[in-house]
């Protein structure tokens, strides 16, 4: 059977159908997102943790947040790695399907914001594929691209640390996806006002 024909008749999970229905309206909510992954290859690597905050009316809404540490025992076992990351985190660990369902319900039709956000989106899409879902439909903004657009820089990219240094955003000893998402949210607010994004 042709692939496109299979997709037409595909029965998506309920949480995915609810997600798709949200795009009938446009969102005023920005969802700042950061993932920590086992590597840079969406077809082989996995998401280890996700941190996310909403930005509404030029404010970071701390209560409107999502954080998850994923159980990835199979990945660690299959690759002969230790699961130090999983043991060290005190947060409840979620199985990948549960974490993804929670994330999709959380982001809804919000406009995604991140640092090199296309990578985060590709990692999430690769994980969603395993759940027989489609690809994310959200618009996405990248703080690195925003900074380079503001200063008309085309010949290099900037790390999150470099951007935080430029905008005097304090570094944290705790390195987590939630911490990175918060720093990205602060950067986004500074760049958003300078670029006149509503």
């Amino acid at each position: 059977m042709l692939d496109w024909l299979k997709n037409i008749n595909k029965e998506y999970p309920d949480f995915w159908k609810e997600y798709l229905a949200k795009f009938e309206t446009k969102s005023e909510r920005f969802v700042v997102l950061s993932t920590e992954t086992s590597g840079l290859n969406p077809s082989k690597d996995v998401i280890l943790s996700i941190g996310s905050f909403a930005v509404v009316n030029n404010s970071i809404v701390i209560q409107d947040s999502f954080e998850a540490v994923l159980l990835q025992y199979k990945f660690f076992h299959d690759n002969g790695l230790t699961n130090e990351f999983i043991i060290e985190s005190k947060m409840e660990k979620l199985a990948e399907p549960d974490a993804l369902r929670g994330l999709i319900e959380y982001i809804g039709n919000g406009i995604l914001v991140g640092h090199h956000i296309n990578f985060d989106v590709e990692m999430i899409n690769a994980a969603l594929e395993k759940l027989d879902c489609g690809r994310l439909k959200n618009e996405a903004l990248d703080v690195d691209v925003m900074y380079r657009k503001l200063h008309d820089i085309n010949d290099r990219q900037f790390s999150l640390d470099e951007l935080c240094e430029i905008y005097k955003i304090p570094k944290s000893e705790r390195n987590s996806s939630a911490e990175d998402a918060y720093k990205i949210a602060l950067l986004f607010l500074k760049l958003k006002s300078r670029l006149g994004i509503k």
Side-chain angles (χ1 to χ4, degrees):
M1 190 186 260
L2 297 170
D3 279 347
W4 65 269
L5 195 54
K6 277 194 287 192
N7 286 338
I8 288 173
N9 298 319
K10 195 173 197 174
E11 187 58 31
Y12 290 120
D14 287 343
F15 80 90
W16 188 254
K17 287 190 252 183
E18 287 164 19
Y19 164 75
L20 294 175
K22 291 176 180 169
F23 286 87
E24 288 165 18
T25 58
K26 186 160 170 50
S27 181
E28 300 290 315
R29 181 173 169 256
F30 294 93
V31 177
V32 181
L33 179 71
S34 179
T35 61
E36 189 168 350
T37 63
S38 60
L40 300 173
N41 185 337
S43 60
K44 291 182 185 168
D45 288 300
V46 294
I47 298 168
L48 300 175
S49 67
I50 303 165
S52 195
F53 291 98
V55 171
V56 181
N57 297 329
N58 294 318
S59 296
I60 301 168
V61 186
I62 300 296
Q63 303 89 328
D64 188 356
S65 62
F66 178 85
E67 189 174 5
V69 175
L70 281 68
L71 273 171
Q72 295 291 11
Y73 285 121
K74 182 174 175 7
F75 175 84
F76 285 108
H77 179 269
D78 291 353
N79 289 282
L81 301 170
T82 66
N83 54 9
E84 207 174 295
F85 175 85
I86 291 172
I87 293 163
E88 279 183 17
S89 174
K90 304 280 187 279
M91 280 185 63
E92 179 192 356
K93 319 310 181 286
L94 296 176
E96 189 175 76
D98 296 332
L100 282 167
R101 187 169 57 249
L103 177 68
I104 295 305
E105 287 167 358
Y106 170 72
I107 64 175
N109 64 344
I111 299 161
L112 302 181
V113 179
H115 179 263
H116 301 160
I117 188 71
N118 288 343
F119 171 72
D120 297 303
V121 167
E122 281 312 308
M123 287 299 294
I124 293 165
N125 284 337
L128 285 168
E129 199 176 309
K130 293 185 243 173
L131 299 180
D132 289 327
C133 297
R135 295 170 66 79
L136 289 175
K137 288 175 54 93
N138 307 69
E139 289 178 55
L141 295 169
D142 188 316
V143 290
D144 180 35
V145 173
M146 290 169 74
Y147 177 75
R148 288 186 284 135
K149 184 177 180 180
L150 185 64
H151 295 282
D152 200 22
I153 299 168
N154 298 312
D155 58 350
R156 65 165 294 204
Q157 293 186 332
F158 293 82
S159 70
L160 182 55
D161 282 347
E162 285 175 315
L163 291 173
C164 286
E165 204 167 297
I166 290 164
Y167 285 102
K168 311 271 187 287
I169 291 167
K171 282 187 180 173
S172 164
E173 293 307 310
R174 181 173 172 255
N175 190 16
S176 71
S177 49
E179 192 73 38
D180 284 350
Y182 187 71
K183 288 189 278 193
I184 293 165
L186 292 171
L187 280 170
F188 175 63
L189 287 175
K190 290 174 184 287
L191 290 163
K192 180 176 177 280
S193 66
R194 287 166 172 83
L195 287 165
I197 296 170
K198 298 289 177 222

